[in-house]
Amino acid sequence: MGRKEEMKRRRLRRILEKNNYVCGVCRKSLENCPFPTPEMGGKIPDNCITIDHVIPLSEGGKNIDENLRPAHANCNVKKGSKIIYGRSWRLIFET
């Protein structure tokens, strides 16, 4: 594993620990979910751990730890570039 990949993994672990291994979108556990690997290519499994921007980059959000949270890949895709607050995340899954 290269240095850049190792730095990404450390950052991901830090974000996971800060969020108690809970998906920031659906609020379910990420405890047994796999990390994405280069071998997966562009095909990331739905339950794979990804990083979600609380305030999307397209809305002026920053790529800093305070604006990042872990999410299942499928949750992150469903959320897209929306900003969700409190319980409003449920609306994403009802539509």
Side-chain angles (χ1 to χ4, degrees), residues 43-82:
K43 183 80 172 134
I44 299 176
D46 286 347
N47 72 329
C48 203
I49 298 170
T50 61
I51 296 296
D52 173 52
H53 290 84
V54 177
I55 300 173
L57 298 174
S58 63
E59 297 293 329
K62 305 285 186 224
N63 201 15
I64 57 175
D65 285 3
E66 293 77 22
N67 189 44
L68 303 175
R69 62 183 171 191
H72 295 104
N74 62 331
C75 293
N76 205 348
V77 168
K78 285 180 183 179
K79 177 190 168 265
S81 61
K82 298 174 190 81

Side-chain angles (χ1 to χ4, degrees), residues 3-68:
R3 181 179 174 179
K4 190 174 182 178
E5 191 64 31
E6 181 59 34
M7 287 175 63
K8 279 179 159 178
R9 283 191 179 262
R10 272 193 247 142
R11 185 179 202 188
L12 181 55
R13 288 227 184 265
R14 197 169 55 242
I15 292 165
L16 281 165
E17 289 171 4
K18 178 181 86 170
N19 290 277
N20 298 312
Y21 287 80
V22 170
C23 175
V25 179
C26 73
R27 310 305 299 162
K28 293 182 181 171
S29 176
L30 292 162
E31 203 67 46
N32 295 313
C33 298
F35 288 102
T37 63
E39 294 78 29
M40 290 177 183
K43 183 80 172 134
I44 299 176
D46 286 347
N47 72 329
C48 203
I49 298 170
T50 61
I51 296 296
D52 173 52
H53 290 84
V54 177
I55 300 173
L57 298 174
S58 63
E59 297 293 329
K62 305 285 186 224
N63 201 15
I64 57 175
D65 285 3
E66 293 77 22
N67 189 44
L68 303 175

